[in-house]
Amino acid sequence: MAYTRVAEFLEDWKSESGMTRAVMTALTDAALAQPAGGAEDRTLGRIAWHIVTTLPEMMERTGLHLSSVDGGAPVPARAADIAEAHSRAAAELAERLAADWTDETLAVTDNMYGETWPRGLTLQVLVRHEIHHRGQMTALMRLAGLRVPGTYGPAREDWAAMGMDPPAV
């Protein structure tokens, strides 16, 4: 269901972008090259950068220009630069929506990839897009030997920190 209240989106966005920030900050420079599959597939770094650059790209289609990230820039070589760019873009998105959009704005429609979407749907797709690619990232992070931060629940390593055994697989 599409968002009908800006405050509802902002609450979700704070949580979801925070989880993405945790995943992004767990990346290492070496892990950015972790392949997803064949040569035609994105690397872990490319997926992370895709999450970042989708924020200004999608929002530009609604007329909301985000200036904190250049959506056409190449994938940075440093994981910290990708994480910082995501933090900047996520914060700018929240600030701009809070300042410039109203609940009524969410019903305005825009051309999104050849379809007509209300902006409340665009925001929902943006959040789900980030969740989707964050999941891809965590799988590739495991393959790269990285510790994966828990998002909707504890990661394997988090159970020990809580003094518990992880659930049996």
Side-chain angles (χ1 to χ4, degrees):
M1 176 169 21
Y3 291 103
T4 57
R5 293 183 18 253
V6 172
E8 180 183 31
F9 166 78
L10 293 173
E11 183 178 322
D12 279 353
W13 186 244
K14 181 178 179 181
S15 175
E16 294 299 336
S17 66
M19 285 187 263
T20 301
R21 184 172 23 267
V23 170
M24 295 274 191
T25 58
L27 295 173
T28 63
D29 295 348
L32 297 180
Q34 175 66 45
E40 69 281 356
D41 294 320
R42 293 175 174 155
T43 61
L44 176 55
R46 182 67 192 105
I47 292 169
W49 191 239
H50 172 67
I51 290 172
V52 174
T53 59
T54 295
L55 299 177
E57 186 273 326
M58 276 186 86
M59 297 317 300
E60 189 71 37
R61 293 171 183 271
T62 70
L64 188 69
H65 178 72
L66 302 181
S67 61
S68 59
V69 172
D70 176 3
V75 179
R78 291 180 3 102
D81 293 340
I82 296 173
E84 175 57 31
H86 180 267
S87 291
R88 282 193 322 268
E92 183 183 15
L93 173 59
E95 291 166 9
R96 294 290 311 280
L97 283 179
D100 299 345
W101 285 20
T102 65
D103 294 346
E104 291 74 28
T105 306
L106 299 179
V108 173
T109 60
D110 301 292
N111 181 321
M112 296 296 284
Y113 314 106
E115 298 179 356
T116 301
W117 296 359
R119 291 180 180 172
L121 175 62
T122 299
L123 294 178
Q124 178 195 54
V125 170
L126 185 71
V127 169
R128 289 182 177 177
H129 175 268
E130 188 151 315
I131 293 167
H132 162 70
H133 287 302
R134 189 173 66 220
Q136 290 179 318
M137 288 178 61
T138 59
L140 293 175
M141 289 168 72
R142 282 278 185 222
L143 292 174
L146 298 181
R147 183 185 188 286
V148 174
T151 52
Y152 295 113
R156 181 182 67 225
E157 298 85 353
D158 296 333
W159 290 98
M162 296 184 304
M164 301 172 69
D165 291 329
V169 285

